[in-house]
Amino acid sequence: MMGGAGRPAGAPEAAELEERLLPLAAPGIGDVDGGGGRRRGKWEKTYLDVLGVCCSAEVALVERLLAPIDGVRAVTVVVPSRTVIVEHDPAAVSQSRIVKALNKAGLEASVRAYGSSGVVGRWPSPYILASGALLLASFLAPLLPPLRWLALAAACAGAPPMLLRAFAAATRLALDINVLMVVAVAGAAALGDYAEAGAIVFLFTTAEWLETLACAKAGAGMSSLMSTIPPRVVLAGTGEVVSLRDVKVGAVVAVRAGEVVPIDGVVVDGQSEVDESSLTGESFPVPKQPPSEVWAGTINLDGYIAVRTTALAENSTVAKMERLVEAAQNSRSKTQRLIDSCSKYYTPAVVALAASVALVPLLLGAQDMKRWFQLALVLLVSACPCALVLSTPVATFCALLRAARMGVLIKGGDILESLGGIRVAAFDKTGTITKGEFSIDGFHVVGDKAEMSQLLYWVSSIESKSSHPMAAALVEYAQSKSVQPNPEKVTEFRIYPGEGIYGEINGRHVYIGNRRIMARSSCQTVSEIDGVNVASIGYVVCDGDLVGSFSLSDDCRTGAAEAIRELRSMGIKSVMLTGDSRSAAMRAQEQLGGAMEELHSELLPADKVGLVGDLKGRDGPTLMVGDGLNDAPALAMADVGVTMGLSGSAAAMETSHATLMSSDILRVPAAVRLGRRARRTIAANLAASVAAKAAVAALAVAWRPVLWAAVLADVGTCLLVVLHSMTLLREPGTARRGSRKEDEACRATARSLAMRSQLAGASSTATASAGAPGGGTNGCHCCQKPTSRSFEQAHSVVIDIPAASSAGHQELQVPRTAAANGNAGGCCSTGRACGASTVTSGTRAPRKCCARKEDGSRVSVNTACCSNGGGSRDSPKKTGQGCRDARCCSGGT
């Protein structure tokens, strides 16, 4: 597996954090811990909600409190979400002991329950309520002077948590916001400004509470990806209910309708639709049948399936995703490291300045010493750089969550910042720009040294050992010719990246690949395939002689051309890097409408690395998108390497800096836009933080020091930074977003129809749909709503979808205007997916569906009734809104 060379600065830190967060090969009970010879149990991770963590200053405090405890192995603090992750031995130290250690310092820690997403909706503490009530009552002091003492009581009532944290920090020689606030409150009380002292405590505690709620809300959707996974599962064979952790690889578990898939696996029985939005960001249901893959965290919508597990619970895709998100949130970007370094000197410098402002005038015998003391206290409050320190990590946190929600895993803040500066995007062709689903256009025997059946047997047997998309096409082609591969007969199998493969079978030395493999095999003969000038061409060499050749074709992904156009609109240059032939590259360029600005073909992995380096030097920061083993070196070389997640190779995913969890290449420009927004948000946060500090200091010097205003500016700026960063969680541009969702719904409709046709064995439907006039890159165009029911019934075309059983077949009636616009995929007047995309291929339609007609075994369902069908982001229940019977759109029979 390729290493991570070429990652941005900070990647070693991210890798270290990721390694800490990944599940360790836990020693069993009774294993010896190498530290001191003591026997250890199994390590486990405990998630804690710690409200007292408001900025990075508390990170050191938490680590100093927990690190000395025997049995604690690692402590990780996620500041933006107020989360502490402790890896410990439960036999040596309990969760309650860890919580007690943190609460002694007033950090308000609690264990996060399974399925909980944090502290959203928490009421203010009694300290805040008591302080606020007493401070409010003190405002009546002009009417009753003794009430002024209630302001001092308000300061005392709200101070205990702050005092505990300040004491814990002071005893460990740490200078944080709590210490500074305690000094400020004491100073205000000493000067007789009781109302100001009470206001400081109330404003500080209230702002901290609001900031905690905002942070918790920001991370509520992704704070625990594993929270949706059921803790217990049902074994399909026996019906026994067992713990998820006890499920072994190869076990068969039952997943009923409405349940969450508990573990990664392969469907072995049943048929259903699965919502994979938790992984891919696309909520449109995906049909599943044997042997489809399913992943933990996805939702089984409308049928029963039995799943044979392919991974343990702790190694499932969603578990890896959660650990990567945690590691990314804890890795500090270059900007954050710079701010943290400056803050180490900023606080002591401002404290020294405040002490000088108080002491120098006193030594010089200056008049109005109260004003000088107040000015010193204002500077002391301004000495805490909380807003400045939070400006980068909170924005990064929110951007990473937004990326994860839309199906893009970004491995750290440095990569996020690099995404915002991309100037050129390089794309691999096979499996990235194209679908990676090859079809054999021709297979030819060259010479008389082998028969066709023997040649197909050699090729299919050797290709069965390869994971390349071309291999699957060759094996399937051989099987269609009644030739069964036998990979057990293959010995000395080797892969030559960028060239092809080699294997020995029945004593023959066989090479399969492109022109380069012929040079390796010492074969000089080249065969040209007649009539094929725009396809990928492969050769078969046996014992040094060319014995066969074949041609393959592959189509571009839906949305590939649109993605490249979006990148161009952002000023980003697009380049194709492929190891395939020039004719194959030109064929892809034609399908893209000439969108690529540069084409580079017949490249070895080393050539791709060199070209990526040239692009970085010539055009600026470079993005590389790939999916295969051949792309791993180039992905590592690029400023940002992006791999096509679930379909990509393990080496590419390991080496890349970001992962697309779906095959939607439109996520690439979306990720770049997100990176640019994150950079702008961080810049605005930094400017607001610095401006607030400068404004308070200037006001104090020019007019008069107002201590409560300084506190309000400090904690208020912190809250403002958090709220501004939370804008990254939503997509800007309502109109553009609506249009994009309609396009996604249209594409999802076409994909769903094709997959349903495959489930029903009706591949002709997809062909007919794709061949409809006006079909565009997106797979379908959206039609206008007919003006009347009579028009709908009288003007329609019929698409036959054979039923899964022999009882008959079903017809879907689509308005003729839809067919005229290439809308056989089933788009309605609003541009959203309608019933054509979701009606199952049974023999009977639900009653009360619009324009329902029966003719013997033929059932017609007029999908035009779905004038307000749900889009790809809607749930199945919403899909049928606008129908007389929602079931005719929701796909239920």
Side-chain angles (χ1 to χ4, degrees):
M1 188 171 291
M2 299 300 297
R7 295 190 181 190
E13 181 182 23
E16 179 184 352
L17 285 165
E18 181 180 338
E19 183 179 354
R20 287 169 55 188
L21 289 165
L22 288 173
L24 302 167
I29 301 296
D31 289 349
V32 177
D33 183 13
R38 175 177 175 176
R39 294 193 174 274
R40 293 292 187 198
K42 187 175 182 180
W43 300 102
E44 72 173 30
K45 287 197 296 184
T46 295
Y47 289 76
L48 305 171
D49 292 316
V50 184
L51 305 186
V53 176
C54 66
C55 66
S56 57
E58 278 83 11
V59 174
L61 175 60
V62 171
E63 292 175 346
R64 289 171 184 170
L65 289 170
L66 299 182
I69 299 177
D70 187 35
V72 173
R73 180 168 187 167
V75 178
T76 305
V77 183
V78 185
V79 175
S81 62
R82 311 294 175 92
T83 302
V84 175
I85 307 168
V86 183
E87 187 179 351
H88 64 103
D89 178 6
V93 56
S94 64
Q95 293 180 344
S96 60
R97 183 181 171 188
I98 295 172
V99 171
K100 190 178 295 184
L102 294 173
N103 286 339
K104 281 183 179 178
L107 292 174
E108 299 181 67
S110 60
V111 178
R112 180 176 299 173
Y114 183 87
S116 171
S117 60
V119 291
V120 177
R122 185 183 178 96
W123 288 96
S125 70
Y127 301 105
I128 298 176
L129 296 176
S131 177
L134 291 171
L135 182 64
L136 185 63
S138 70
F139 291 159
L140 300 176
L143 301 178
L144 189 61
L147 292 179
R148 63 189 294 267
W149 295 100
L150 291 180
L152 184 59
C156 296
M162 186 169 61
L163 283 171
L164 285 174
R165 292 196 292 267
F167 178 76
T171 55
R172 288 164 177 80
L173 302 180
L175 190 64
D176 64 1
I177 183 62
N178 298 287
V179 175
L180 298 176
M181 286 297 170
V182 167
V183 174
V185 171
L191 294 174
D193 296 330
Y194 301 142
E196 204 154 27
I200 292 172
V201 173
F202 177 70
L203 289 174
F204 178 69
T205 53
T206 302
E208 271 198 328
W209 171 65
L210 293 174
E211 187 183 332
T212 299
L213 288 186
C215 288
K217 185 177 180 181
M222 289 286 294
S223 62
S224 181
L225 294 176
M226 293 294 288
S227 63
T228 59
I229 306 297
R232 307 185 72 82
V233 299
V234 179
L235 298 181
T238 62
E240 180 184 1
V241 179
V242 299
S243 172
L244 180 63
R245 295 187 178 184
D246 295 333
V247 178
K248 306 297 182 183
V249 174
V252 179
V253 300
V255 185
R256 293 173 292 231
E259 293 182 344
V260 175
V261 177
I263 197 167
D264 293 356
V266 177
V267 177
V268 294
D269 185 30
Q271 180 174 310
S272 182
E273 288 185 326
V274 174
D275 181 358
E276 298 179 345
S277 59
S278 60
L279 292 181
T280 65
E282 297 180 357
S283 60
F284 204 88
V286 180
K288 299 290 183 180
Q289 67 169 356
S292 301
E293 286 186 289
V294 292
W295 293 278
T298 58
I299 302 174
N300 180 22
L301 295 178
D302 58 6
Y304 169 86
I305 54 175
V307 178
R308 176 175 287 112
T309 62
T310 57
L312 298 175
E314 59 266 26
N315 293 325
S316 66
T317 300
V318 70
K320 293 177 181 177
M321 183 176 177
E322 182 187 41
R323 292 193 293 269
L324 287 173
V325 170
E326 287 178 2
Q329 289 169 356
N330 283 277
S331 64
R332 298 183 302 165
S333 66
K334 184 178 179 180
T335 303
Q336 186 178 347
R337 291 195 299 272
L338 177 62
I339 293 172
D340 288 346
S341 298
C342 294
S343 66
K344 292 179 181 178
Y345 304 101
Y346 169 81
T347 299
V350 176
V351 169
L353 178 61
S356 300
V357 169
L359 294 176
V360 171
L362 180 63
L363 295 176
L364 296 177
Q367 301 296 320
D368 194 12
M369 283 303 303
K370 182 177 180 180
R371 184 176 185 279
W372 288 106
F373 281 133
Q374 288 177 330
L375 179 58
L377 291 176
V378 168
L379 291 176
L380 198 63
V381 171
S382 301
C384 183
C386 273
L388 193 65
V389 171
L390 280 177
S391 58
T392 300
V394 176
T396 301
F397 176 84
C398 292
L400 291 175
L401 292 187
R402 171 63 189 165
R405 289 176 185 177
M406 68 184 190
V408 182
L409 288 185
I410 301 174
K411 299 179 182 178
D414 265 338
I415 290 99
L416 182 68
E417 291 185 8
S418 298
L419 269 173
I422 292 299
R423 291 292 175 266
V424 58
F427 293 88
D428 174 49
K429 183 183 75 71
T430 305
T432 303
I433 291 296
T434 64
K435 298 176 182 177
E437 299 172 358
F438 287 90
S439 60
I440 306 297
D441 295 330
F443 201 105
H444 307 276
V445 175
V446 178
D448 56 0
K449 293 192 176 182
E451 299 292 334
M452 175 64 79
S453 59
Q454 186 180 31
L455 185 60
L456 288 175
Y457 172 73
W458 292 344
V459 170
S460 61
S461 297
I462 296 173
E463 292 287 358
S464 294
K465 289 181 169 287
S466 172
S467 60
H468 195 280
M470 289 185 182
L474 289 168
V475 172
E476 185 178 346
Y477 180 80
Q479 291 174 336
S480 70
K481 300 296 183 181
S482 301
V483 176
Q484 294 300 321
N486 190 0
E488 289 78 11
K489 296 292 185 180
V490 179
T491 59
E492 298 296 328
F493 176 78
R494 299 193 197 101
I495 296 177
Y496 298 102
E499 299 180 15
I501 60 175
Y502 163 79
E504 293 183 17
I505 183 170
N506 297 336
R508 302 298 185 105
H509 302 272
V510 181
Y511 291 83
I512 308 169
N514 55 27
R515 287 177 180 266
R516 288 193 179 93
I517 206 70
M518 299 182 66
R520 183 177 293 276
S521 63
S522 303
C523 177
Q524 303 299 324
T525 306
V526 177
S527 173
E528 297 295 339
I529 300 179
D530 297 334
V532 179
N533 54 6
V534 290
S536 301
I537 301 175
Y539 303 94
V540 184
V541 178
C542 179
D543 295 331
D545 295 320
L546 181 65
V547 295
S549 60
F550 54 89
S551 60
L552 309 94
S553 59
D554 187 16
D555 293 328
C556 288
R557 289 187 185 275
T558 301
E562 183 181 351
I564 295 169
R565 287 194 295 269
E566 286 191 22
L567 290 172
R568 179 180 292 179
S569 69
M570 292 186 282
I572 297 175
K573 175 182 178 181
S574 297
V575 179
M576 182 188 296
L577 307 179
T578 178
D580 215 335
S581 64
R582 177 173 178 80
S583 60
M586 291 300 299
R587 183 175 186 270
Q589 174 75 329
E590 289 177 7
Q591 291 184 346
L592 294 173
M596 289 287 182
E597 297 183 40
E598 290 184 20
L599 298 179
H600 300 274
S601 58
E602 301 182 4
L603 301 175
L604 291 172
D607 300 329
K608 291 184 179 181
V609 173
L611 281 170
V612 169
D614 292 342
L615 291 171
K616 289 171 64 175
R618 186 179 69 212
D619 297 309
T622 300
L623 170 77
M624 173 70 191
V625 187
D627 75 316
L629 178 64
N630 298 349
D631 305 318
L635 291 170
M637 180 65 183
D639 294 280
V640 179
V642 179
T643 185
M644 308 292 287
L646 297 178
S647 62
S649 72
M653 292 182 69
E654 175 69 18
T655 312
S656 66
H657 310 114
T659 301
L660 301 184
M661 298 306 292
S662 71
S663 59
D664 187 1
I665 201 169
L666 284 168
R667 305 292 182 193
V668 174
V672 174
R673 281 194 298 269
L674 181 63
R676 292 185 175 184
R677 287 180 59 207
R679 293 180 73 168
R680 291 194 298 268
T681 301
I682 290 172
N685 288 346
L686 292 173
S689 303
V690 174
K693 299 283 187 187
V696 168
L699 182 66
V701 172
W703 184 47
R704 78 178 186 88
V706 182
L707 194 53
W708 66 265
V711 175
L712 181 62
D714 185 77
V715 295
T717 307
C718 288
L719 184 60
L720 182 64
V721 162
V722 173
L723 294 176
H724 183 230
S725 298
M726 286 177 64
T727 60
L728 290 168
L729 293 172
R730 63 175 186 268
E731 186 178 356
T734 304
R736 180 173 56 186
R737 182 169 66 252
S739 175
R740 187 177 296 116
K741 283 187 176 182
E742 290 175 2
D743 291 342
E744 288 177 357
C746 204
R747 286 191 295 270
T749 299
R751 286 198 301 268
S752 182
L753 273 177
M755 297 180 77
R756 290 170 186 276
S757 300
Q758 292 173 5
L759 291 179
S763 58
S764 58
T765 303
T767 305
S769 176
T777 306
N778 291 342
C780 66
H781 290 358
C782 293
C783 57
Q784 298 296 324
K785 180 180 178 181
T787 56
S788 66
R789 276 192 64 186
S790 60
F791 179 86
E792 294 171 3
Q793 295 177 356
H795 299 80
S796 63
V797 294
V798 175
I799 303 174
D800 285 343
I801 300 182
S805 64
S806 59
H809 71 279
Q810 174 177 330
E811 294 178 357
L812 295 181
Q813 291 190 353
V814 184
R816 186 173 300 275
T817 53
N821 288 289
N823 192 25
C827 295
C828 298
S829 60
T830 59
R832 298 177 179 176
C834 65
S837 66
T838 51
V839 177
T840 56
S841 58
T843 58
R844 294 187 61 82
R847 295 187 179 276
K848 298 182 181 179
C849 269
C850 317
R852 179 176 180 272
K853 299 179 182 179
E854 296 188 13
D855 180 16
S857 62
R858 299 170 65 88
V859 180
S860 298
V861 181
N862 195 334
T863 60
C865 68
C866 312
S867 59
N868 190 26
S872 66
R873 298 289 177 188
D874 293 334
S875 66
K877 292 182 179 180
K878 294 181 181 179
T879 307
Q881 290 179 358
C883 276
R884 293 173 59 185
D885 188 334
R887 291 175 298 168
C888 70
C889 286
S890 62
T893 58

